DNA sequence: TTAGGGTTAG
């Protein structure tokens, strides 16, 4: 077996009696051990004193499991074991102390220690109980240690514990954690008795395996549901990119009279963030303040993320400022959020504050920093961060970091350097990396390198319509219409269709979604009428329709007609018509904003004295007084 | 002294 011979069992010599341990009253000593002493050193002092008195009767009433588990927690493995060994069955239930240490290890930073300790149990004439197995199986789950987990399962059956429901659930969880879906499902099917925990384990596992439909089918069959059952399904829908279903399920949960807890709230806020559903997000915020969940770090982190992704950077900053405790997730979310909103300088300042107080960044913090540099064109700063992450923090750059670097170099026009950078990468470039180079080629009109990038992209990500569109745009921009047509034909031949663009806006809690040329909206006629009025004002201020963004083969005036019906324009006009003057208009878009809409929205913000906040696929554009927060850099 | 869920990027 893998676990033998690692731990040495020996009794450590008792520590010398400490002068300040003078109290010989055993009850006081017990109280001290239970409540007043917390460090292994203090506990050892008392323990050694008891050993010195050599009074086994006294020993018998001491909470040795606490002493042992505190020592175990600080990785004083030998001392913990010496306590275990010292206990004699007549005076203390030995297995309780073993279990106590196993629990401490299983729940600590190194669950492998629980397995090592368990392997030593076979050297003694002590029978493990259900608690013993539950802790060991927990460690197996955390470590995804299938070999040991299966052996423990066999041992559970051999010793006749197989009918214990607690253990059955723990075994089920172990198989699920080890990724054995079929084994877990078979085990679940054969369970003679199941409770709500059994159902929750299998449902959660299926959602994590992207088997959301199967999970929902089981959820529907559950004889009884708990908050955790609802939460598992809601979180599952968010994880598999179906936030609308998550919110729908939450409504059903409320109707069923179930109260959400912190975890439900986190899942719900994540769904709001994905959808840009600010109204619901705000209501959840009010709710969690009422429930007292507002101090929970994870809840606050998700709240920050929700406000950032709904375009409310200032509220996110307020939540961040009000947090009593912050983790690296809080800092990274805020740094990434500032970058996304075009406030790169603030992102870098926040990183400095974080470093000053000794918080260590992680890989995701650096993605935020590199984005910030990219959006501001801070090439040297970006290079410095990229080098620093490994040199100063031991963080190995992942493909995402390389993607950020290529983006940074390409956007700044250092296309050859970006290309060299890709060629020298220690890991194989993916579609995102080559796509970043292609994006830079579009901005800086480099047809040759664009063709090089597309060569790789057609292999790596042939069904992604975005790359064909960009290349076709590059050709059109260079006046190479035949090549542009060739790309469109290639797209058709490959069966690649352009993802239809949509924009949405939330008014009075209802989400209105628009596609290009939308005629289905009840206010469609008024929207187009209002647009025609607005167009006159735009043209007076110098707006010229940028028809090159239209890839279709058609006459100029028809292209203009297409442009005027882009979904973000329709959504903004709808917003102007249906929200009070002076209030911000928030738009969500599934693709990137096109150049023409970008130019138009800048002028619309000025003409109507409105802030227009657009979240596109990559970042935020905040149009205000005729300019955009992205500073034309997107 | 035992079982199940959550955050930043993409």
């Amino acid at each position: 077996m893998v676990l033998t011979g690692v731990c040495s069992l020996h009794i450590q010599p008792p520590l010398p009696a400490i002068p300040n341990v003078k109290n010989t009253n055993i009850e006081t000593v017990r109280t001290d051990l239970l409540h007043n002493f917390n460090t292994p050193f203090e506990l050892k002092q008392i323990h050694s004193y008891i050993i010195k008195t050599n009074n086994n009767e006294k020993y018998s009433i001491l909470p040795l499991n606490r002493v042992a588990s505190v020592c175990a927690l600080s990785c004083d493995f030998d001392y913990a074991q010496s306590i275990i060994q010292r206990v004699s069955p007549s005076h203390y239930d030995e297995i309780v102390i073993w279990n106590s240490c196993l629990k401490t290890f299983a729940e600590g930073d190194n669950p492998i220690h629980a397995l090592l300790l368990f392997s030593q149990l076979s050297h003694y004439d002590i029978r493990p109980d259900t608690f013993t197995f539950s802790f060991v199986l927990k460690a197996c789950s955390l470590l995804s240690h299938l070999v040991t987990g299966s052996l423990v399962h066999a041992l559970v059956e051999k010793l006749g514990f197989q009918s214990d429901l607690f253990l059955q659930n723990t075994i089920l969880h172990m198989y699920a954690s080890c990724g054995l879906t079929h084994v877990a499902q078979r085990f679940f099917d054969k369970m003679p008795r199941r409770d709500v925990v059994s159902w929750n384990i299998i449902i959660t596992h299926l959602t994590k395996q992207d088997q959301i439909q199967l999970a929902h089918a089981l959820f529907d069959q559950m004889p009884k549901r708990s908050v955790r059952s609802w939460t598992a399904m809601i979180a599952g829908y968010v994880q598999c990119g179906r936030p609308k279903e998550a919110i729908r399920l939450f409504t059903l949960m409320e109707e069923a009279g179930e109260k959400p807890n912190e975890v439900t709230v986190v899942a719900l806020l994540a769904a709001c963030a994905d959808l840009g559903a600010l109204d619901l997000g705000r209501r959840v915020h009010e709710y969690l303040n009422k429930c007292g969940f507002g101090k929970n770090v994870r809840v606050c982190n998700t709240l920050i993320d929700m406000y950032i992704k709904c375009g409310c950077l200032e509220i996110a900053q307020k939540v961040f400022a009000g947090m009593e405790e912050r983790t690296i997730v809080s800092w990274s979310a805020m740094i990434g959020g500032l970058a996304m909103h075009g406030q790169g300088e603030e992102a870098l300042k926040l990183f400095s504050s974080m470093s000053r107080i000794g918080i260590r960044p992680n890989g995701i913090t650096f993605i935020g920093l590199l984005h910030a540099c990219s959006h501001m064109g801070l090439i040297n700063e970006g290079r410095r961060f990229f080098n620093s992450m490994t040199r100063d923090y031991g963080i190995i750059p992942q493909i995402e970091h390389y993607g950020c670097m290529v983006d940074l170099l390409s956007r700044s026009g250092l296309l050859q350097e970006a290309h060299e950078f890709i060629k020298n990468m220690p890991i194989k470039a993916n579609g995102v990396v080559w796509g970043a180079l292609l994006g830079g080629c579009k901005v800086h009109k480099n047809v040759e390198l664009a063709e090089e990038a597309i060569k790789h992209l057609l292999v790596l990500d042939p069904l992604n319509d975005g790359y064909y569109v960009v290349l076709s745009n590059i050709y059109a921009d260079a006046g190479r219409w035949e090549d542009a047509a060739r790309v469109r034909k290639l797209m058709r031949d490959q069966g690649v269709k352009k993802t239809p663009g949509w924009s949405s806006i939330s008014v009075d809690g209802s989400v209105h979604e628009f596609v290009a040329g939308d005629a289905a909206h009840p206010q469609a006629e008024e929207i187009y009428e209002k647009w025609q009025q607005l167009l006159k004002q735009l043209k007076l201020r110098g707006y010229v329709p940028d028809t090159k963004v239209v890839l279709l083969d058609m006459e100029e005036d028809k292209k203009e007609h297409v442009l005027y019906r882009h979904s973000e324009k329709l959504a903004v006009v709808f917003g102007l018509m249906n929200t009070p003057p002076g209030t911000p208009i928030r738009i969500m878009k599934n693709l990137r904003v096109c150049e023409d809409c970008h130019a138009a929205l800048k002028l619309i913000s000025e003409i109507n004295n409105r802030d227009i906040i657009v979240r596109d696929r990559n970042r935020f554009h905040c149009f205000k007084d005729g300019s955009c927060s992205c500073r034309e850099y997107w």
Side-chain angles (χ1 to χ4, degrees):
Chain A
M1 178 164 164
V2 283
L3 302 171
T4 52
V6 181
C7 307
S8 61
L9 281 176
H10 61 271
I11 301 176
Q12 291 211 332
L15 293 172
I18 307 295
N20 63 6
V21 183
K22 287 186 180 140
N23 200 330
T24 52
N25 179 310
I26 193 68
E27 281 304 331
T28 313
V29 171
R30 182 178 159 81
T31 306
D32 280 346
L33 280 170
L34 268 177
H35 304 294
N36 298 334
F37 294 104
N38 293 307
T39 68
F41 181 68
E42 288 169 327
L43 290 163
K44 277 184 189 173
Q45 281 184 324
I46 299 285
H47 183 223
S48 63
Y49 173 77
I50 302 299
I51 291 168
K52 243 194 143 193
T53 63
N54 206 18
N55 185 331
N56 278 339
E57 265 178 53
K58 283 182 179 177
Y59 210 93
S60 70
I61 68 159
L62 291 172
L64 293 180
N65 51 343
R66 174 162 154 76
V67 181
S69 55
V70 169
C71 291
L73 196 60
S74 60
C75 286
D76 200 345
F77 203 65
D78 288 341
Y79 200 89
Q81 291 206 66
S82 77
I83 294 171
I84 293 173
Q85 224 186 15
R86 203 173 264 281
V87 177
S88 73
S90 59
H91 288 132
Y92 211 93
D93 190 357
E94 277 175 286
I95 194 62
V96 173
I97 295 179
W98 278 87
N99 290 347
S100 203
C101 286
L102 285 170
K103 173 180 155 68
T104 307
F105 280 139
E107 292 170 354
D109 294 333
N110 293 304
I112 189 79
H113 284 167
L115 305 189
L116 297 172
L117 184 62
F118 178 67
S119 72
Q120 299 300 304
L121 187 60
S122 58
H123 300 161
Y124 299 84
D125 185 24
I126 302 169
R127 188 179 150 87
D129 61 11
T130 56
F131 292 87
T132 318
F133 288 119
S134 74
F135 298 131
V136 176
L137 285 162
K138 184 174 193 169
C140 294
S141 296
L142 288 165
L143 295 162
S144 300
H145 211 303
L146 178 63
V147 176
T148 312
S150 307
L151 283 169
V152 174
H153 178 192
L155 201 54
V156 165
E157 303 225 330
K158 190 177 162 196
L159 294 180
F161 290 122
Q162 68 271 32
S163 57
D164 185 281
L165 185 56
F166 255 92
L167 274 184
Q168 287 204 326
N169 285 340
T170 318
I171 292 165
L172 174 66
H173 184 235
M174 182 272 295
Y175 284 123
S177 300
C178 293
L180 267 73
T181 305
H182 292 303
V183 178
Q185 271 181 298
R186 210 168 43 237
F187 189 87
F188 176 81
D189 290 340
K190 285 186 177 170
M191 281 171 79
R193 232 162 19 100
R194 301 182 193 118
D195 63 3
V196 69
V197 177
S198 333
W199 288 87
N200 289 350
I201 292 169
I202 196 76
I203 283 174
T204 304
H205 173 68
L206 290 171
T207 62
K208 285 185 176 161
Q209 300 290 316
D210 253 1
Q211 299 199 41
I212 193 83
Q213 275 181 322
L214 188 53
H216 204 139
L218 285 180
F219 178 76
D220 286 339
Q221 288 171 38
M222 281 181 81
K224 195 178 157 222
R225 295 176 189 137
S226 68
V227 187
R228 287 187 176 216
S229 326
W230 287 95
T231 304
M233 280 309 303
I234 293 170
Y237 273 117
V238 176
Q239 278 154 22
C240 72
R242 291 167 65 177
K244 278 184 192 164
E245 279 95 332
I247 289 174
R248 195 182 59 83
L249 208 58
F250 174 69
T251 317
L252 293 177
M253 175 182 167
E254 279 187 313
E255 282 168 15
E258 203 72 72
K259 285 248 176 300
N261 63 17
E262 275 121 317
V263 186
T264 328
V265 162
V266 165
L268 197 56
L269 285 171
C272 295
D274 286 350
L275 286 169
L278 180 60
D279 293 341
L280 180 60
R282 278 190 180 130
R283 286 212 302 275
V284 177
H285 190 179
E286 282 166 20
Y287 172 82
L288 64 90
N289 278 341
K290 258 188 253 161
C291 295
F293 297 162
K295 292 199 187 314
N296 180 304
V297 180
R298 283 177 167 171
V299 168
C300 288
N301 291 344
T302 322
L303 199 55
I304 288 174
D305 186 51
M306 184 276 291
Y307 278 123
I308 285 171
K309 289 186 178 154
C310 288
C312 304
L313 183 63
E314 282 175 17
I315 308 180
Q317 284 172 308
K318 267 189 202 159
V319 175
F320 180 80
M323 284 171 80
E324 287 172 7
E325 184 201 347
R326 297 184 192 108
T327 62
I328 186 58
V329 177
S330 334
W331 290 92
S332 302
M334 211 56 241
I335 289 171
L338 286 162
M340 211 189 286
H341 280 265
Q343 303 212 9
E345 293 95 341
E346 291 301 313
L348 265 48
K349 270 192 213 160
L350 196 63
F351 178 71
S352 300
S353 316
M354 181 188 122
S355 304
R356 260 199 308 279
I357 57 171
I359 309 281
R360 274 183 81 81
N362 64 16
I364 298 171
T365 324
F366 278 100
I367 289 176
L369 288 169
L370 292 172
H371 274 155
C373 294
S374 195
H375 290 313
M376 289 189 300
L378 293 174
I379 302 153
N380 289 331
E381 204 72 359
R383 284 196 186 109
R384 201 171 58 77
F385 280 128
F386 187 79
N387 293 328
S388 157
M389 60 188 281
T390 310
R391 188 190 57 226
D392 302 329
Y393 303 101
I395 300 167
I396 308 295
Q398 302 298 304
I399 192 73
E400 291 84 0
H401 299 101
Y402 287 101
C404 289
M405 280 307 286
V406 173
D407 186 55
L408 169 71
L409 297 168
S410 309
R411 279 176 194 274
S412 311
L414 299 170
L415 296 170
Q416 292 301 339
E417 190 181 337
H419 191 204
E420 285 304 310
F421 186 87
I422 295 176
K423 287 197 276 188
N424 292 324
M425 277 170 52
I427 44 178
K428 191 175 180 297
N430 62 7
V432 176
V433 174
W434 285 107
L437 180 66
L438 182 70
C441 291
K442 179 172 179 260
V443 177
H444 298 284
K445 306 184 195 308
N446 187 322
V447 178
E448 197 185 326
L449 262 183
E451 286 172 337
E452 168 70 10
I454 205 81
K455 200 170 76 191
H456 295 274
L457 287 166
L458 287 178
V459 177
L460 291 165
D461 201 357
L463 299 180
N464 190 322
D465 60 299
Y467 301 135
Y468 298 87
V469 174
V470 173
L471 184 65
S472 181
N473 265 327
I474 293 173
Y475 282 135
D477 209 31
R480 290 170 59 172
W481 305 107
E482 282 180 13
D483 286 319
R486 187 172 50 81
V487 175
R488 287 199 299 277
K489 183 174 181 303
L490 183 67
M491 236 176 131
R492 277 197 302 276
D493 293 348
Q494 301 262 29
V496 179
K497 289 212 173 83
K498 192 176 178 299
T499 310
W502 56 257
S503 299
S504 69
I505 176 170
S506 170
V507 174
D508 297 332
S510 306
V511 176
H512 299 256
E513 213 169 271
F514 295 90
V515 292
D518 211 322
H521 194 275
Q523 281 179 274
E525 214 170 299
E526 293 155 78
I527 292 169
Y528 289 120
E529 229 176 86
K530 168 94 180 163
W531 165 253
Q532 286 303 328
Q533 294 164 11
L534 195 55
L535 182 61
K536 283 180 195 153
Q537 289 175 286
L538 287 170
K539 285 189 171 170
L540 282 176
R541 301 221 182 190
Y543 166 72
V544 180
D546 186 356
T547 50
K548 76 169 185 301
V549 304
V550 180
L551 291 180
L552 306 166
D553 263 329
M554 55 174 67
E555 289 146 15
E556 278 302 295
D557 60 331
K558 286 198 176 141
K559 283 189 179 179
E560 280 184 28
H561 190 69
V562 170
L563 273 186
Y564 297 157
R565 292 165 167 251
H566 271 185
S567 64
E568 52 269 59
K569 292 192 184 90
L570 304 183
V572 167
V573 173
F574 175 82
L576 288 171
M577 288 163 49
N578 292 283
T579 55
T583 56
I585 294 173
R586 295 172 200 282
I587 307 285
M588 285 265 302
K589 184 163 170 56
N590 63 332
L591 305 174
R592 284 172 69 174
V593 185
C594 81
E595 282 95 334
D596 183 74
C597 286
H598 198 267
L601 294 187
K602 278 196 290 188
L603 290 172
I604 295 173
S605 76
E606 194 180 21
I607 293 167
N608 294 277
N609 195 22
R610 291 278 200 123
D611 288 3
I612 302 170
I613 300 137
V614 180
R615 169 177 146 187
D616 77 7
R617 209 176 57 183
N618 275 4
R619 56 165 300 153
F620 276 92
H621 297 264
C622 182
F623 301 94
K624 190 182 173 70
D625 302 329
S627 57
C628 178
S629 61
C630 79
R631 302 176 209 167
E632 311 305 305
Y633 206 82
W634 89 100

